[in-house]
Amino acid sequence: DARVTQTPRHKVTEMGQEVTMRCQPILGHNTVFWYRQTMMQGLELLAYFRNRAPLDDSGMPKDRFSAEMPDATLATLKIQPSEPRDSAVYFCASGLALVVANEQFFGPGTRLTVL
Amino acid sequence: SQKIEQNSEALNIQEGKTATLTCNYTNYSPAYLQWYRQDPGRGPVFLLLIRENEKEKRKERLKVTFDTTLKQSLFHITASQPADSATYLCALENSGGYQKVTFGTGTKLQVIP
């Protein structure tokens, strides 16, 4: 059955290293979201793409985070350099933008630990 | 400022009873509201969507109400089962557009056998 996939599922890295997380949205979906989830802040939207174009990345620290969609089957979220405060679970979600509503299908997440 | 409030305290309920979770919001005028379920170690899963002109929506044992005057949504699970134990998140359409939603922090439900 169709589902969003994310790699890696777990990542442990040292402060200052580059981290790249990948997401394959559900085929046919035209919206992609990147979220970060922590106990304190809950689910925070980092970036939002529609038809591969970035529509909103206001939730993302611009100096170290970048998000791209090189093609319709791949979305990436990069952190460079990583910091301990970036430790969180990062979720990718995809959806099909209709007139009003946008049900989101979430991937399993990447659990990032920055030491 | 905009705020979405869900009970941060866990809700414990006896199996077979109706669980009621609350989502209150301020400074939003959402066209719709969504409810998601999240199990430990997994991504949220969509459950229900209710539009601003709908008072109530049902799906099997789930019922959602949406009161735009009170700025509140209630999420009910009738005949609750231990398998319903999870964290439940409400999500509101963000008036910034693009069909972007903002999530509440969720309420953890524990159904006790």
Side-chain angles (χ1 to χ4, degrees):
Chain A
D1 65 316
R3 59 182 70 185
V4 175
T5 58
Q6 289 185 248
T7 56
R9 293 293 312 278
H10 302 273
K11 175 74 177 179
V12 180
T13 191
E14 292 191 345
M15 183 172 65
Q17 296 297 304
E18 178 178 299
V19 174
T20 299
M21 290 169 269
R22 293 178 174 81
C23 167
Q24 182 171 13
I26 292 173
L27 192 65
H29 281 184
N30 64 347
T31 57
V32 171
F33 304 81
W34 281 106
Y35 291 92
R36 174 170 61 187
Q37 188 174 41
T38 60
M39 288 294 290
M40 294 301 295
Q41 300 294 331
L43 261 175
E44 301 174 276
L45 179 68
L46 297 174
Y48 172 23
F49 291 80
R50 186 191 291 185
N51 297 322
R52 293 177 54 204
L55 284 194
D56 189 336
D57 60 2
S58 58
M60 212 161 61
K62 301 289 190 306
D63 56 339
R64 299 183 301 107
F65 284 60
S66 61
E68 294 179 346
M69 275 202 77
D71 62 62
T73 64
L74 176 65
T76 62
L77 179 67
K78 197 171 290 189
I79 308 174
Q80 167 63 22
S82 57
E83 297 180 3
R85 60 181 166 149
D86 301 329
S87 298
V89 181
Y90 290 80
F91 286 105
C92 172
S94 72
L96 186 61
L98 302 174
V99 176
V100 175
N102 192 359
E103 171 190 345
Q104 297 180 34
F105 294 79
F106 281 78
T110 294
R111 182 173 292 276
L112 174 65
T113 302
V114 184
L115 303 173
Chain B
S1 63
Q2 292 180 320
K3 203 184 287 185
I4 303 171
E5 289 178 311
Q6 293 187 257
N7 237 350
S8 56
E9 305 228 346
L11 178 65
N12 295 320
I13 192 162
Q14 207 70 37
E15 181 177 4
K17 300 288 187 190
T18 296
T20 299
L21 286 69
T22 305
C23 176
N24 294 304
Y25 59 92
T26 51
N27 293 322
Y28 279 95
S29 296
Y32 61 86
L33 186 150
Q34 301 175 349
W35 282 89
Y36 287 76
R37 169 187 172 136
Q38 186 173 23
D39 291 283
R42 294 178 176 259
V45 174
F46 172 81
L47 295 174
L48 277 169
L49 177 147
I50 186 165
R51 302 182 196 283
E52 60 178 339
N53 59 350
E54 296 175 316
K55 290 278 192 267
E56 183 181 295
K57 200 84 169 275
R58 291 175 186 261
K59 180 182 174 184
E60 296 170 356
R61 295 183 296 110
L62 308 180
K63 184 178 89 171
V64 171
T65 62
F66 192 11
D67 189 325
T68 55
T69 303
L70 287 179
K71 295 189 183 301
Q72 179 182 79
S73 174
L74 299 178
F75 178 81
H76 306 272
I77 306 176
T78 57
S80 57
Q81 303 165 0
D84 296 326
S85 299
T87 296
Y88 291 85
L89 305 160
C90 69
L92 273 66
E93 180 214 15
N94 191 309
S95 56
Y98 322 126
Q99 301 170 15
K100 189 171 78 171
V101 296
T102 302
F103 282 84
T105 50
T107 298
K108 187 173 181 179
L109 172 68
Q110 187 78 32
V111 181
I112 303 158

